[in-house]
Structure formats: C-alpha cells, structure tokens
Amino acid sequence: MVRGALTAGAPALGAEETLARWRRRKRIRDAFASLLTHLVLVTLGFILMIPFFWMVSSSLKPLDEVFLFPPQWLPSVPRFANYPAAINDYFPFWLYAFNTVQVTLAVLVGRVFTASLTAYGFARLHFRGRGPLFILMLSTMMVPEHVTMIPTYILFKHLQWLNTYVPLILPAYVGGGAFSIFLMRQFIMTIPQELDDAARIDGCSWLGVYWRIVMPLCLPALAALAIFAFMGTWNDFIHPLIYLNTPEKFTLAIGLRMYHLRGTEITPWNHLMAASIMVLIPPLVLFFFAQRFFIQGVVVSGLKG
Amino acid sequence: MSYHLRFGDLRARSSRRGFLTTVAVSLLGVPYLAACGPAPAPTPTPPPAPKPAAAAPTAAPAPKPAAPTPTTAPAPKPTAPAPTAAPAPTPTAPAAAKAPAARQEVTLRIGTWWDVWKPLIEMFTKRHPYIKVSYEPSPFSGYNQKLLTQLAGGGAPDVFMVSHAEFQGVVRKMQFWAIDDLVARDKINLKDFAIDQMEYSGYQGKIYGLSRGMPNPNSWLVYNIPLFDKAGVKLPPKAGEGAWTWDDWRKAGLAITKPPETWGSLSLRGSNIWLTMVLSNGGKLYNDDETKCLLNSPEAIEAFQFQVDAVRTHKIAPTPSEQQLLGSVAFATGKVGMVHTPAAVSWWQFKTNTGDFKVDAWHSPTPYFKKRVVVGQAHPWSTAIHTKVREEAWLWTKLVAVDEEGLDWLTANVVIPAYKPEYFVKKLPDERARRFLLEALSDAKQINWGPEYWGTKAPGEVTSITDSELDKAYLGEKTVKQAADDLVSRINKVLAQA
C-alpha cells in the first residue's frame, strides 16, 4: 500500500527500473557517506598524528629550532646525530633498556598467568563469599594509588626489597591487579559452560579445565591482557622511581626524565624526542601487530588499561 | 550443571602430572625472584686504619684571611643514638669524638636530583676510604614525591638535597636531624655564610641542614645586547650599580617588541617572579601567623596586573601558551630581548640559558616597584632522622657546604657557595666568569632577600594554586581581581587544613 502510494501519480515505471534507480541512489548515498566518514576519520587521524609528527621532527632538529615561533614543522637540515647523542650522552640507555625489558617480561608472564587463574576461579567456581569477594576485589580499583603508596613502601622496606625489582614484579604474581582479573573474568564468562561440563564428565580436574579448555579459548583476552601489561610496565615511571635507588637499576621511563642539561631544569628537547622515539618503538610495534586484541580487550572489559 | 567447590575437590581431581608441572613452574620462578631480590650482605672488608688528623685535607691552600674552616679529620664511627619510633627533632649529640682503633666499612646513601656530583663523591671516598657511597640521583620531576615517600617510610638516603620550596614543609614533620651540635663541635661559624642559615635551613631555633649555594633568584634579568642596540634602548644597569624599575623594564620591552619577529621579554609568569614583584610592591604573602593569604591586597593585585598587562595589553611578552611553545631556551634564538632566569649565581647555568653565548647577553638585577627585594632558593643538604651513619652524613655535608676543596669544585661547576662566596669566586681562573659572578655577588649583598619564601604550611600547593589562577587572568577568563580573590580563597582553605 505504501509502495502504491509512493508511485501513485508518477509515470508508470517498471519495477526493475525503479529498483535499479533505488539501487543507484543508494550506491551514491553510501559512497558519499563512506567518503564523508573517511574524510572525517582521515582528518582526525592527521590531527592525532600531529604530536607524533612533531616528536619525530623535533628529534631531527638542532635545539634552537625546536621552539621557533611560528613553529617550523620540518628541520632545516635533519640532524640524525641527535639519536646517538640521546643514547650516549645522558645515561646508559641500553642498560636501562635491558632493565625495562627484564621487568616488563617478568610482569607480563606473571600477570597473564595469575590473573587468568584468579579470574577462572571467580568465573567458574562456586564457593561461599564469591560475590562479596569479587566486589571487594573490584573496589580496590577505586582506591587511588597514592593512598597505598606509603604503606606499600613500608611493607617492601621491611621485606628488604627496596632497590630491587621485586616490588615491581611481585604484584603481578599475586593476581596481577583487579583490572586484569576483571578483564579475564568477563571473557571467561562468555565461554560456554558446556565445554567445561564435558571436560569434567570426561574426568578432567579443575586445573585441567583451566589449562586445557579455558586458556586456549581465552587467547584473545590473554593477548589483550599481555598488551596492557606490557604498555603499563614499559611506561611506568612512579613505581621504579619510588622503589629503585641506584642509577644502574633504573628503567627507561626514569631515564627519559633525566634529559636535562647539566645541573639545570632545561631539557634538550631534540635529544629527549629522539630518545622517546627509541623508547616508543617496542610498544608501537606491539600495538601495530596486536591492535585487534588491544581493542577487543577494551570492548570486553569496557575499560582501558 | 553448576559446580560447587568443596574441600578436597581440587586435590582429588588433580593429576599427578599436573601437580608436578605446577610445582616445576613455581620452582622455576623462585630463582628469578631471588635474583631480583636484595644482594646478600657484603662480607665486611678489613677495616682501614683510621686517618690521622694530620692527613685532613691538607690539599687546601693555606687559608687567606677569609679562608673557610677546612674540614677536620674524619670523625670516628658515629655513636649517634638510633632514633626511637617517635623521633624527636633534635636528637642528642653523638658521643664525643674518640678515635677508634679501626673502622668498619660503612655505606652512606646520598640522594640528589642533579646527576652532577660524581667528582665530589670521588673526592669524598678518596678522603674517607672506609665510607662506601651509594649515590642515588633522581630526576628532578618526581624527586620530592620520592623523598617524601622515603622519609615517611623510613627509607630515605642518609643525606640528601632538599628543595628549598619543600624544606619548611618537610622539616615540620621532624624527619631531619638537627646539626647544631656538630656545627658547634667543628667550630663552623654560621656567620661566614652569606645567607642566614637559620632562615634558610632552620626551624624553631635549630639548624637542620647547610645551604650548598647562594639563593638562586629566578627573576634575575638577562638581556640580549644586539636587540637593545638595534632598538636604541639603553642597557640596564650592571649588578652592583642599582637596578631598573619595572616601569623602565616596560619601556624597554615596548621598544624592542615587534611580534612575531621579536618579543620584548619572555613572560613574567612564574612563581618566583610574581612573589618578588608582590614583595617589592609592598605586598605580603601571608599574615604574620600564616593563617591567611594576603595576595588579594591592592599591592599584590597591582603587581599581578602589571604582569598580565605586559602580555594582554602591551604584548611585550607571549601568552602562556605561546610561552610554552617558545620554551625556556627561546632566548637562545636571539628573538627575545629579555628573560628572567636563575642564572645570576651560576656561571655555567647562565651560559646554558643563553644558548652558550650564541646570543651576546649580560645580566642585570631584578627590576623593582617600591623597594628591591629578591626571593631565591638555597637548597640545603639535610640528614635523615633514621640514618645510622650520622657522622658520615655530616662529613659529606661539610664537603659540599664548607670545605675548601669541595667548594672550589662547586664554584666552578655548580653554584656560588653560600659559605664565603667572594673568597671562592675570586679563585676562579676564568676572568669573564669571575667578573660575572662577582657582579652578581656585589648585588646580592645589597638586596633584601625575601624574608618569606612560600611559607611553611603548603608551599607546593600555594604556588600551583596561584599559578593556575593567574593563568586564567593571562587568558582573559578572569579579571586579575577575580583571580586574586579566588586564589586567596583556595589558599586559605589549604592553610586551614595544613
């Protein structure tokens, strides 16, 4: 009836011709919408790339070109010597890189295993107090880090773990934090319980179900968790700052704050930018190859790491 | 099907292979964590023979009339009492120095935010071989947070530099040793310091540290000579020959400013500058008992208005956002006529701020309104209350604060020492540096160092609140009066809670 009303009074057109015209218009509309979307996204993409571009450009400038006003987007003569200077002149870059890799990998392994195990317990095992315990665990996310900093520091001091990597690594081996557990638990809840049931009926233990059934199906979430752990630890400044004292144990995040001209608060921005790019490369490469998992992690948990 | 975990369930259904795998994985992790843990206590090395008193830094030349007290021979192993759980701010003095037969190696932790002290540490360990130094530099950003956490947790270095802006706030928490007894024992005359140590490192009549250098006036004026010549502006007076008024400064700025090619000055924005201006205009930061902020007084508002007008009305200086883009080294591009820097008491810092003399520049004292006032920072070295090596911490403090050889190095490399500054500056081999620093010193003697810095209750918050409110006036979001009223209201709340 609607169709009839629309065509009433119009010159009689064949159904096929009407359909073809409608399809043509739709194609044009879709193409236009797609063009508009891409235009907006590309523009936003470029805007978001400006800081990164500025960073790369500054890393190749002499210091007095970095803050020229109005800004000079490209270096007059690219100065690649900034990179060796950034690596060699301020702190032992490769030692700090090694320290950072060491801590990051250790945290990554610990968080992936213990968070998934804890999450499995919360998702699959029924025990008295599970709900309140889960809420209690989640509530730790609401406590600001700074509130617990001094008590935690005192704890590690009494354990004589200051100026070691243990305070940075150990927390990853006791559950890995509320966010990680929450992320994994949400993902495990989406896995059909029937798979567990079948394994249990076949005689598989609880740990067997976790290891043989749940873990393989959780690979996307584990990848997301690993990326979050990597990013968080790689860029962490405050914990290494508080717990590490001697320079030979510092990580890159601390090193990046040490780009000051001798004894001043003046920063050689060109060298700092060069170092920042070097430090950025591993997370960037990781994100490039694993962005699907990263985004999936955000979608599953509704949170950003 | 619903699972209910029961006692023994896990055990009953775990396979032996699974159990062994779990144990193996756990065991693999143990060595790693152990490797990350603290190193085992070092085997005590044979204690070196005590250094005879005659071997004390004889490297120092025979003192001229104004020569400082040389560091005495290494004192014996400390007998300082271990502080109790609720330590008193002024622990009793260590037992009188008695040279022990032998010294055990001790470790002294030294905390700083500048990684420039290695040559002094080498000098120190050479002089005191029984002291092993654990050098703990940190980035400046985050240093205070780290130090406060360490002090609260009892894990601070034994001796450390304290930001002057934070000193009064921290000393109230009774985390430092008072050193009056050591100062008296080693006959250090505090009057030989060019700045009052009680004011800069004291609290309630006790001294809690010694200043390493002269206060660093962040509002010192550095000017670009070619730009002044080009604009036909007379150069500001040299240090020791008076100073410009802020009105002179504005006239010069207007003559030089031709944006975007040249700016008369970089922004006056910044805590050290506004406080200097307010005090110079007859204003005050707080009332006498530090319960009320007075930054909305007519004198303070007039000073703030001057700063804001320089940017918004006269456009002598860039806006805060333009300033951020320019950065503090913008002066080195040669496009800025004047800059206010902390360069006055440090030759190398002056060179750094001016792009190592790419720009032909010299310095002049801070301009003033009604009276000349400068506020400055003189960061003290203090000793943690929980230290077990108080005597060694004191040896280090003396090296960086009153020792001949130490201060020679400090003058040439870091800052004019607060202790007998002229004596050390005159020994500098570089003629230009000598002239530069003596000029700065001659002026420093004439000026009235701000009697109050940021106060004692919440210095960090006061500066950040004021800066943020003044930025709104800079951006035109508030009038200066509104910004002043708002910042006073916010600061008063902080003072009430402190």
Side-chain angles (χ1 to χ4, degrees), chain B residues 15-320:
Chain B
S15 68
R16 187 168 59 184
R17 193 172 63 178
F19 174 74
L20 289 174
T21 308
T22 308
V23 169
V25 168
S26 307
L27 287 176
L28 277 175
V30 170
Y32 187 82
L33 277 176
C36 295
T43 314
T45 52
K51 212 172 176 180
T58 49
K64 293 176 185 177
T69 313
T71 305
T72 53
K77 179 85 176 67
T79 49
T84 54
T90 54
T92 53
K98 285 180 187 172
R103 284 209 179 94
Q104 259 196 329
E105 183 179 280
V106 295
T107 299
L108 177 71
R109 292 175 57 205
I110 298 175
T112 77
W113 65 76
W114 285 345
D115 192 9
V116 295
W117 304 97
K118 280 177 190 158
L120 263 193
I121 288 171
E122 279 170 26
M123 195 187 293
F124 183 71
T125 48
K126 204 170 162 187
R127 209 180 272 184
H128 309 289
Y130 76 101
I131 302 176
K132 185 182 160 197
V133 170
S134 169
Y135 179 44
E136 301 178 5
S138 291
F140 182 73
S141 54
Y143 179 80
N144 284 329
Q145 189 179 2
K146 176 172 182 170
L147 182 63
L148 290 174
T149 308
Q150 287 179 318
L151 284 169
D158 300 299
V159 60
F160 44 80
M161 217 152 70
V162 192
S163 158
H164 179 204
E166 299 289 336
F167 178 83
Q168 287 293 339
V170 181
V171 77
R172 289 154 58 90
K173 297 183 169 66
M174 306 303 181
Q175 294 292 335
F176 302 153
W177 277 92
I179 55 171
D180 304 74
D181 55 329
L182 300 173
V183 168
R185 187 192 74 192
D186 290 351
K187 298 183 176 55
I188 291 169
N189 186 357
L190 294 179
K191 288 183 180 161
D192 285 334
F193 283 84
I195 52 173
D196 184 354
Q197 287 304 284
M198 191 56 78
E199 186 180 306
Y200 278 85
S201 322
Y203 177 65
Q204 294 185 341
K206 296 275 180 191
I207 299 286
Y208 288 90
L210 290 180
S211 301
R212 62 176 171 79
M214 287 294 288
N216 214 354
N218 279 22
S219 54
W220 205 267
L221 179 66
V222 175
Y223 54 90
N224 176 328
I225 297 171
L227 276 187
F228 269 66
D229 290 344
K230 195 176 162 190
V233 180
K234 196 180 165 197
L235 297 178
K238 288 184 177 174
E241 297 172 1
W244 264 355
T245 63
W246 280 110
D247 199 39
D248 298 328
W249 177 90
R250 180 159 56 195
K251 282 177 192 159
L254 283 169
I256 295 167
T257 300
K258 287 181 183 60
E261 286 83 27
T262 52
W263 294 96
S265 169
L266 288 186
S267 169
L268 297 174
R269 177 180 178 272
S271 311
N272 292 291
I273 304 178
W274 65 246
L275 183 56
T276 301
M277 292 176 84
V278 168
L279 296 176
S280 154
N281 204 30
K284 286 181 79 178
L285 183 53
Y286 305 117
N287 62 353
D288 290 341
D289 56 359
E290 209 181 313
T291 52
K292 280 189 179 162
C293 177
L294 303 176
L295 286 176
N296 57 353
S297 66
E299 294 83 4
I301 289 175
E302 193 181 3
F304 292 150
Q305 190 71 55
F306 183 92
Q307 291 188 25
V308 174
D309 284 350
V311 174
R312 295 190 61 80
T313 309
H314 307 300
K315 302 195 187 306
I316 296 170
T319 61

Side-chain angles (χ1 to χ4, degrees), chain A residues 242-289:
Chain A
I242 300 288
Y243 296 124
L244 303 176
N245 295 329
T246 45
E248 64 272 13
K249 291 190 174 149
F250 284 173
T251 57
L252 284 172
I254 299 181
L256 285 182
R257 308 288 182 110
M258 297 184 101
Y259 277 90
H260 295 297
L261 298 180
R262 194 172 59 107
T264 71
E265 283 90 59
I266 296 173
T267 305
W269 287 96
N270 49 349
H271 294 171
L272 175 61
M273 290 301 119
S276 299
I277 286 171
M278 302 280 290
V279 173
L280 190 65
I281 287 172
L284 204 65
V285 169
L286 184 75
F287 187 79
F288 187 76
F289 285 109

Side-chain angles (χ1 to χ4, degrees), chain A residues 31 49 61 99 106-107 111 116 118 123 137 160 172 192 226 266 273 301:
Chain A
M49 285 288 285
K61 288 178 180 172
N99 295 342
V107 167
R111 191 167 295 171
S116 58
T118 315
M137 191 258 325
Q160 296 193 340
I266 296 173
M273 290 301 119
S301 65

Side-chain angles (χ1 to χ4, degrees), chain A residues 67 157 197 205-206 244 266, chain B residues 3 9 13 325-326 353:
Chain A
F67 290 111
K157 178 178 169 283
D197 297 345
S205 71
W206 284 108
L244 303 176
I266 296 173
Chain B
Y3 296 135
D9 196 14
R13 292 171 188 267
L325 203 59
L326 282 163
N353 284 348

Side-chain angles (χ1 to χ4, degrees), chain A residues 110-120 172 175-177 180-181 184 225:
Chain A
R111 191 167 295 171
V112 164
F113 278 102
T114 60
S116 58
L117 191 60
T118 315
Y120 172 69
S180 310
I181 296 168
M184 289 307 301
L225 183 60

